[in-house]
Amino acid sequence: MKVFLFSATAPDGRKVHERIEAAGLDQARYTLEIRRYRDIEFLTDENAADIQRSATAGTGVPEADPEVWTAESEAESHRRQGVAVKIWWAFKQHSLIFGVLALANLLSWRSGPPFGWLDWLGFAATPLYGLVFVKLVTPMILFQLILEAAVWHDWKKLRRLIGGARWLRKVTVTGIPELELDIREATALAAGGRLDEGLALMERHRGRAELAEYLFLSRLSGLYDVAGQYDRALALMEESAAKGPGGVSEWIDVAMVRIRRKHDAAGARVALERLTDKEVPALAQAVRLIVEGLILVEERDHERAVEYFRAGLEKLQVAAGNPLALALFAEARAGTVIALARLGRKEAARKILAGERPLLEARKETDLLARCDAALAG
């Protein structure tokens, strides 16, 4: 059985975040409706357990206790934005211990010397616990910076950060999984024209128990994408979807590659047809709406495209704290620029493009930018 996180209105009218065990999302919804839950929205997909397994392999982090890591805590983690907010959240989890130590130190100072052994123990324990806290939060900070560098395609910075993360793993044993570091480095190599080296690095992880085959194929597709080999990237993404757990995210990814890289509206719609009669989680629905918007731009149905982009971007706000969402925000807004410009609303389009151009240029989305500029000039 799988475990799914959801938000809903409980039978007693309370807004809740809870978890449910079920064979799949469709069964989970049926069960919740039988229990008279309303306004049900799933926050995890069929692939959540596989992603969690690959994300935690080799980190040294034990499986979370459901009584401590509640459904509400998990849902809140999805909404946290930026490094500072995450550090503050982590500090609050340790605030009781820091508070006790600070109070003990204050009382010791107020009593004045000569200090007893308990006073000195308190003085020593405070910085030591501070070091423990730094050890706990440093991998989180490093990973956030790695994701930001990856999104901005700052490959030199990315590889420096990976070097730092690998050093940290040697010193502290725990940290960002070697699997994730290798995948990020392989992507940097592929983007720098060293695709063969990147592929060789990826092959070290093929067949590993903690990395499901369909997830491996999806990550491999990303290497070919940054290398500009879009046909191969699409083929791997379609293979990934075919071998996936039967959810919707993989087919949305296929549709995204088809519309972004091939401008294939018909092919993208065929991929989205795989979602028919399937439960679509909240984040996947946000991406689906953006994909639909991109399809409508290709079909020159610009009024509807703008509405789909607006709805998708609104739903995507739940992932605003994830640096990887920045690229999707930028491309959805670029699609909005094209649609608005073709509708004659060029001033609004120019303002949107000005905000997104730096990221699109950093990511070398030259085709997309050229289409935006052509729509504004037309």
Side-chain angles (χ1 to χ4, degrees), residues 285-305:
Q285 178 64 5
V287 181
R288 176 188 186 175
L289 288 167
I290 289 168
V291 171
E292 293 269 14
L294 294 170
I295 292 171
L296 289 166
V297 167
E298 291 298 326
E299 295 172 343
R300 307 189 77 83
D301 190 347
H302 299 119
E303 287 281 5
R304 289 180 65 212

Side-chain angles (χ1 to χ4, degrees), residues 33 56 70 112 132 195 204 214 222 237 252 259 291 331 345 362:
E33 288 176 346
T56 57
T70 64
V132 170
L195 177 60
R204 291 169 47 181
Y214 74 96
M237 194 62 79
I252 293 174
I259 198 64
V291 171
E331 294 193 25
R345 296 154 62 183

Side-chain angles (χ1 to χ4, degrees), residues 142 145-146 149 156-166:
L142 261 177
L145 294 174
I146 283 171
K156 288 183 179 179
K157 180 179 179 181
L158 176 64
R159 297 188 73 181
R160 287 198 304 271
L161 290 167
I162 289 172
R166 287 194 168 123

Side-chain angles (χ1 to χ4, degrees), residues 86-125:
K86 291 178 179 179
I87 293 174
W88 175 241
W89 172 83
F91 178 78
K92 287 192 293 184
Q93 309 312 303
H94 297 261
S95 59
L96 178 60
I97 296 175
F98 276 119
V100 170
L101 289 171
L103 179 60
N105 292 166
L106 178 61
L107 292 174
S108 295
W109 279 113
R110 288 186 65 180
S111 298
F115 298 119
W117 69 271
L118 281 175
D119 298 317
W120 287 114
L121 182 62
F123 293 149

Side-chain angles (χ1 to χ4, degrees), residues 35-50:
R35 296 175 183 173
R36 295 173 41 231
Y37 281 80
R38 296 177 287 109
D39 309 318
I40 302 163
E41 189 171 56
F42 290 99
L43 306 182
T44 51
D45 201 348
E46 304 278 359
N47 58 9
D50 291 332

Side-chain angles (χ1 to χ4, degrees), residues 57 75 77 94 97 130-131 158-159 167 184 230 238 250 255 271-272 287 310 342 349 351 367:
S77 73
H94 297 261
I97 296 175
L131 290 174
L158 176 64
R159 297 188 73 181
W167 176 84
R184 296 293 169 189
Y230 301 135
E238 289 181 330
E250 293 80 27
L272 292 183
V287 181
R310 180 197 57 75
R342 290 176 178 172
K351 288 180 181 179
D367 176 64

Side-chain angles (χ1 to χ4, degrees), residues 177-200:
E178 192 65 30
L179 164 65
E180 185 65 32
L181 295 177
D182 279 353
I183 290 173
R184 296 293 169 189
E185 184 172 5
T187 305
L189 288 168
R194 298 159 63 184
L195 177 60
D196 288 344
E197 292 178 56
L199 293 174

